[in-house]
């Protein structure tokens, strides 16, 4: 029976928490940029941000316009960052890798473990990352993203592929 790598729930929870923080901050920035800052008089906005009175002759309207634009930019940036984190999490969730003692299945293709031509284990000890090369694919397994990678490493050890 094939063992399928499964998404590490701790990894998923942490990334979803980051997305929640990004979206919360982005919403706050968007509210400031679309509602709070535009309705606040320029001199009050300056005083609330800088905690002092504006210097004589200071362009308060320019200051207000720049702060509104900054809030909108930060909001869009955090929305984009949230999308990137969610996309990476979705790709980790959709990662298709299964194994048993003799075979591996990757993205619907089945091959023998003996078909692995190279195993790069330089990042295994420190980061739990293993890179496998076959004739047709390079497969990167990350033990932080998926449960089951350590068990696959044991199979590779028994097969002698890790000692190459």
């Amino acid at each position: 029976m094939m063992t399928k790598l499964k998404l590490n729930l701790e990894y998923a929870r942490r990334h979803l928490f980051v997305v929640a923080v990004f979206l919360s901050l982005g919403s706050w920035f968007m509210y400031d940029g679309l509602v709070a800052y535009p309705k606040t008089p320029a001199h009050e906005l300056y005083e609330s941000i800088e905690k002092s009175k504006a210097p004589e002759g200071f362009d308060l309207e320019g200051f207000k316009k720049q702060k509104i634009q900054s809030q909108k930019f930060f909001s869009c940036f955090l929305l984009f960052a949230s999308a990137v984190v969610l996309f990476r999490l979705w790709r980790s969730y959709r990662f298709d890798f299964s194994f048993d003692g003799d075979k591996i299945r990757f993205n619907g293709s089945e091959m023998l473990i003996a078909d692995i031509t190279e195993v790069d284990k330089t990042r295994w000890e420190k980061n739990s990352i293993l890179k496998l090369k076959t004739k047709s694919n390079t497969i990167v397994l990350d033990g932080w993203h998926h449960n089951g990678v350590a068990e696959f490493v044991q199979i590779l050890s028994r097969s002698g592929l890790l000692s190459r």
Side-chain angles (χ1 to χ4, degrees), residues 94-97 105-109 137:
R94 300 280 302 154
F95 187 76
D96 181 25
F97 186 88
R105 185 177 302 132
F106 176 64
N107 288 341
S109 298
N137 291 306

Side-chain angles (χ1 to χ4, degrees), residues 126-140:
K126 185 174 181 185
N127 302 105
S128 299
I129 296 173
L130 196 67
K131 190 185 289 187
L132 311 173
K133 290 191 181 179
T134 67
K135 291 175 187 164
S136 58
N137 291 306
T138 298
I139 305 167
V140 179

Side-chain angles (χ1 to χ4, degrees), residues 59-125:
D59 180 13
L60 289 171
E61 288 304 318
F63 175 84
K64 179 177 177 175
K65 183 178 178 183
Q66 185 273 329
K67 293 303 177 184
I68 289 170
Q69 291 302 321
S70 294
Q71 297 297 13
K72 290 177 183 177
F73 170 79
F74 290 141
S75 179
C76 291
F77 175 78
L78 287 167
L79 179 62
F80 176 73
S82 297
V84 169
V85 173
L86 280 173
F87 177 72
R88 289 181 49 90
L89 187 58
W90 176 78
R91 285 201 44 193
S92 293
Y93 173 75
R94 300 280 302 154
F95 187 76
D96 181 25
F97 186 88
S98 305
F99 61 93
D100 64 14
D102 302 317
K103 296 178 289 214
I104 60 175
R105 185 177 302 132
F106 176 64
N107 288 341
S109 298
E110 200 167 285
M111 63 194 89
L112 295 174
I113 287 179
D115 292 337
I116 297 172
T117 57
E118 184 182 332
V119 178
D120 179 356
K121 60 182 181 196
T122 56
R123 294 173 41 196
W124 177 250
E125 289 300 319

Side-chain angles (χ1 to χ4, degrees), residues 1 35 38 45 47 82 90 92 112 141 159:
M1 184 167 120
V35 178
L45 183 62
E47 290 173 6
S82 297
W90 176 78
S92 293
L112 295 174
L141 303 177
S159 72

